[in-house]
Amino acid sequence: VCSGLSDWKDLHQGTPSTIQDAIREAIQQTETRRLILSGSESGYVTTPISNIRAVRRLVESIAI
């Protein structure tokens, strides 16, 4: 599965906390198997860099 995050709701409007919840939900739904975490579209240039950094930090901390 290649998804897990909504470009608008999670990445653009969300916070690091809501992004963490979305990532954990995606991992739970796929039972940690065959998940490529990504946004739902091509993204927005106005997405807060703090949210992009939060995704990277959380993925690196999980490192399944």
Side-chain angles (χ1 to χ4, degrees), residues 2-64:
C2 183
S3 189
L5 297 170
S6 163
D7 286 339
W8 183 253
K9 180 183 166 216
D10 296 323
L11 297 175
H12 190 73
Q13 291 186 319
T15 65
S17 178
T18 60
I19 290 169
Q20 180 178 6
D21 294 342
I23 290 173
R24 289 179 192 229
E25 177 68 21
I27 290 170
Q28 182 181 19
Q29 286 181 7
T30 60
E31 298 175 349
T32 68
R33 297 183 331 207
R34 301 179 185 217
L35 172 65
I36 300 171
L37 189 66
S38 71
S40 54
E41 297 174 18
S42 59
Y44 298 94
V45 297
T46 54
T47 296
I49 193 75
S50 60
N51 288 351
I52 295 169
R53 286 184 178 141
V55 172
R56 181 175 179 160
R57 184 177 58 253
L58 291 164
V59 168
E60 287 176 345
S61 72
I62 294 168
I64 296 173

